[in-house]
């Protein structure tokens, strides 16, 4: 900036220097105001309007006196700090250090305003004036620019600690509920095993116990399988490998997988895909999602019920397809619907044949679909049934 002051023609050099200065200040306060690991273009576009407008304004003062230029420049930077101070002190979700920074920015804005007034009051101000009204705000501004990187580090650390603390609390609660739900079926397996081994029982009773043994072992296996996949996903052990998949094939394979369970409840399970539908996603994740959603539909559909899997929508503009899994089961309450995807609340609901669930499957579905740039939406009415909408990116054949 100093080198361009002498080497570039005066009006252009002045405009160039002041614009660079404004954008440096802007980017510093942007980073403090919106602490994000990834660059957010929406915030940047919104925030860039201020320095752009102020830079254009400076063009009209490029040939003015030093006093006028210092006044306008100080006012411009004061406005930027005032705007950031307002964001830091009024927006929710800010850390303690961000609030402290908001007060520091307020002070900086006031001091720069004092510098602007000082420049106007002094008759023939020099570029490097020794006036207190000009020097003290400038020294404060320079010191502030030196400590801003430290403030950023402390804010990031504080945010990470808060996020980690909340995550640990959620996971502790989550695992305590899972452990409680695992105790039931595992205890049931132990009791059934003892009855089958130690007692002389009738063939009818043995058949009942064997059926219970099958149901409990299946529930425990599904729960552990989902829990393992969820834990591996959060630990980064499951790698997202998307490629072209035949969605129709995955659905039909899972429909066949549940053939025995469908027969036990005499449920009509149909898939009306007339032709192949290709999506761009990870096979194992999509397969797990479909398996969980069909399993849930069977669980909450009564004997002689009906489940339809249909193509709801193909949006070429958005490059997505949506399928719907529709059942005429017992439905879900509005209160439960609000909690089904929350990690810190496990909704344990019995199916129509007293099948027990933990709600972990839906959380896993949500997580896997998010990884695959998809979405899940549930509509439900008590005693009327449930519609689960599953959206994934299309891969054209």
């Amino acid at each position: 900036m100093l080198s361009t002051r002498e080497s570039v023609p005066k009006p252009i050099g002045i405009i160039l220097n002041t614009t660079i200065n404004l954008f440096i200040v802007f980017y510093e306060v942007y980073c403090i105001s919106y602490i994000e690991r990834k660059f957010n273009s929406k915030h940047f576009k919104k925030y860039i309007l201020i320095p752009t407008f102020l830079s254009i304004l400076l063009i009209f003062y490029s040939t003015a006196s030093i006093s006028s230029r210092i006044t306008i420049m100080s006012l411009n930077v004061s406005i930027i700090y005032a705007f950031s101070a307002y964001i830091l002190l009024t927006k929710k979700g800010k850390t303690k250090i961000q609030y402290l920074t908001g007060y520091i920015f307020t002070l900086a804005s006031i001091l720069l305003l004092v510098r602007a007034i000082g420049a106007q009051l002094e008759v023939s101000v020099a570029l490097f004036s020794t006036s207190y009204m000009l020097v003290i705000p400038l020294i404060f501004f320079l010191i502030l620019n030196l400590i801003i990187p430290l403030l950023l580090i402390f804010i990031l650390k504080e945010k990470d600690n808060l996020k980690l603390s909340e995550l640990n609390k959620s996971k502790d609660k989550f695992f305590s509920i899972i452990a409680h739900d695992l105790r039931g079926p595992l205890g049931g397996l132990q009791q059934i095993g003892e009855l089958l081994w130690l007692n002389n029982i009738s063939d009818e009773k043995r058949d009942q116990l064997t059926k219970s043994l099958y149901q409990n072992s299946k529930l425990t296996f599904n729960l552990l399988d989902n829990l393992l996949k969820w834990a591996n996903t959060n630990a980064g052990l499951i790698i997202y490998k998307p490629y072209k998949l035949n969605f129709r094939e995955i659905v039909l394979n899972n429909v066949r997988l549940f053939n025995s369970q469908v027969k036990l409840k005499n449920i009509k399970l149909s898939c009306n895909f007339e032709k192949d539908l290709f999506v761009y996603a990870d096979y194992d994740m999509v397969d797990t999602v479909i398996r969980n959603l069909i399993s849930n539909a069977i669980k909450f559909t009564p004997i002689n019920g009906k489940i339809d899997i249909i193509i709801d929508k193909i949006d070429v503009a958005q490059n997505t397809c949506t399928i719907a899994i529709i059942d005429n089961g017992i439905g879900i309450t509005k209160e439960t619907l609000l909690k089904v995807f929350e990690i810190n609340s496990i909704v344990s609901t019995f199916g129509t044949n007293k099948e027990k669930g933990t709600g972990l499957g839906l959380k896993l579905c949500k997580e896997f679909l998010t990884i695959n740039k998809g979405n899940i939406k549930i509509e439900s009415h008590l005693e009327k049934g449930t519609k689960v909408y599953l959206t994934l990116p299309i891969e054209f054949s």
Side-chain angles (χ1 to χ4, degrees), residues 46 61 63-64 72 74 94 132 153 248 264 269 279 330 385:
K46 176 184 173 183
Y61 292 89
T63 55
I72 296 300
S74 298
K94 301 298 180 185
Y132 289 117
I153 291 167
R248 177 176 177 268
L264 280 172
L269 174 58
V279 295
I330 58 177

Side-chain angles (χ1 to χ4, degrees), residues 74 78 109-119 121 132-134 137:
S74 298
S78 177
S109 180
I110 293 167
L111 286 173
L112 286 163
L113 190 61
V114 169
R115 179 176 164 82
I117 295 167
L121 292 176
Y132 289 117
M133 289 185 77
L134 296 175

Side-chain angles (χ1 to χ4, degrees), residues 91-197:
K91 298 287 182 182
K92 292 181 180 179
K94 301 298 180 185
T95 66
K96 290 177 182 177
I97 298 174
Q98 280 182 301
Y99 278 117
L100 175 63
T101 306
Y103 290 113
I104 294 171
F105 281 0
T106 303
L107 179 59
S109 180
I110 293 167
L111 286 173
L112 286 163
L113 190 61
V114 169
R115 179 176 164 82
I117 295 167
Q120 280 297 103
L121 292 176
E122 199 164 325
V123 179
S124 57
V125 65
L127 189 62
F128 299 103
S129 176
T130 55
S131 169
Y132 289 117
M133 289 185 77
L134 296 175
V135 173
I136 292 174
L138 184 61
I139 291 170
F140 184 85
F141 173 73
L142 292 172
I143 292 170
L144 179 60
N145 278 271
L146 289 173
I147 66 168
I148 277 180
L150 291 174
L151 288 170
L152 277 168
I153 291 167
F154 287 130
I155 291 167
L156 284 169
K157 189 175 180 181
E158 189 178 17
K159 274 190 169 288
D160 286 344
N161 287 339
L162 286 170
K163 195 180 288 184
L164 189 62
S165 177
E166 288 173 9
L167 189 61
N168 283 335
K169 284 179 185 176
S170 296
K171 285 189 176 180
D172 287 344
K173 185 178 179 182
F174 176 78
F175 281 115
S176 68
I177 296 167
I178 290 294
H180 177 268
D181 282 346
L182 271 174
R183 191 182 294 123
L186 286 173
L189 287 172
Q190 184 183 3
Q191 290 174 355
I192 293 167
E194 286 176 0
L195 287 169
L196 287 171
W197 182 40

Side-chain angles (χ1 to χ4, degrees), residues 12-263:
I12 298 171
I14 291 168
I15 293 166
L16 188 64
N17 273 270
T18 51
T19 304
I20 291 170
N21 199 354
L22 278 174
F23 273 93
I24 289 170
V25 174
F26 148 70
Y27 195 72
E28 285 175 342
V29 296
Y30 164 79
C31 291
I32 288 282
S33 302
Y34 300 103
I35 295 293
E36 291 169 339
R37 293 289 185 187
K38 292 182 180 178
F39 184 79
N40 189 318
S41 60
K42 287 183 181 177
H43 282 160
F44 189 82
K45 286 173 185 175
K46 176 184 173 183
Y47 219 63
I48 205 169
L49 292 173
I50 294 171
T52 303
F53 172 75
L54 297 178
S55 296
I56 293 167
L57 188 67
L58 283 168
I59 295 170
F60 299 102
Y61 292 89
S62 59
T63 55
S65 65
I66 292 174
S67 176
S68 296
R69 293 207 307 268
I70 290 175
T71 300
I72 296 300
M73 188 64 179
S74 298
L75 278 173
N76 285 350
V77 179
S78 177
I79 290 167
I80 291 177
Y81 276 120
F83 183 69
S84 288
Y86 173 78
I87 290 172
L88 290 167
L89 295 173
T90 59
K91 298 287 182 182
K92 292 181 180 179
K94 301 298 180 185
T95 66
K96 290 177 182 177
I97 298 174
Q98 280 182 301
Y99 278 117
L100 175 63
T101 306
Y103 290 113
I104 294 171
F105 281 0
T106 303
L107 179 59
S109 180
I110 293 167
L111 286 173
L112 286 163
L113 190 61
V114 169
R115 179 176 164 82
I117 295 167
Q120 280 297 103
L121 292 176
E122 199 164 325
V123 179
S124 57
V125 65
L127 189 62
F128 299 103
S129 176
T130 55
S131 169
Y132 289 117
M133 289 185 77
L134 296 175
V135 173
I136 292 174
L138 184 61
I139 291 170
F140 184 85
F141 173 73
L142 292 172
I143 292 170
L144 179 60
N145 278 271
L146 289 173
I147 66 168
I148 277 180
L150 291 174
L151 288 170
L152 277 168
I153 291 167
F154 287 130
I155 291 167
L156 284 169
K157 189 175 180 181
E158 189 178 17
K159 274 190 169 288
D160 286 344
N161 287 339
L162 286 170
K163 195 180 288 184
L164 189 62
S165 177
E166 288 173 9
L167 189 61
N168 283 335
K169 284 179 185 176
S170 296
K171 285 189 176 180
D172 287 344
K173 185 178 179 182
F174 176 78
F175 281 115
S176 68
I177 296 167
I178 290 294
H180 177 268
D181 282 346
L182 271 174
R183 191 182 294 123
L186 286 173
L189 287 172
Q190 184 183 3
Q191 290 174 355
I192 293 167
E194 286 176 0
L195 287 169
L196 287 171
W197 182 40
L198 298 175
N199 296 290
N200 293 320
I201 53 176
S202 65
D203 289 341
E204 185 181 350
K205 185 69 175 175
R206 188 179 296 278
D207 287 342
Q208 289 177 354
L209 288 173
T210 304
K211 185 179 177 182
S212 296
L213 183 67
Y214 166 74
Q215 288 176 339
N216 271 13
S217 60
K218 188 174 180 63
L219 168 67
T220 308
F221 175 80
N222 287 340
L223 177 58
L224 285 171
D225 185 51
N226 281 337
L227 183 59
L228 181 63
K229 284 177 179 175
W230 180 85
N232 284 342
T233 304
N234 280 270
L237 298 176
I238 292 182
I239 300 169
Y240 168 58
K241 294 179 181 176
Y243 54 93
K244 182 179 176 180
L245 303 176
N246 191 332
F247 202 11
R248 177 176 177 268
E249 223 171 73
I250 294 171
V251 173
L252 289 175
N253 285 340
N254 278 282
V255 167
R256 286 190 285 270
L257 182 69
F258 288 99
N259 192 41
S260 58
Q261 283 181 254
V262 168
K263 284 182 179 177

Side-chain angles (χ1 to χ4, degrees), residues 297-317:
I298 294 169
K299 189 186 299 178
F300 298 109
T301 300
I303 293 169
N304 300 321
K306 188 171 99 169
I307 301 169
D308 292 319
I309 304 172
I310 65 168
I311 297 175
D312 180 69
K313 185 181 180 183
I314 294 177
D315 191 335
V316 178

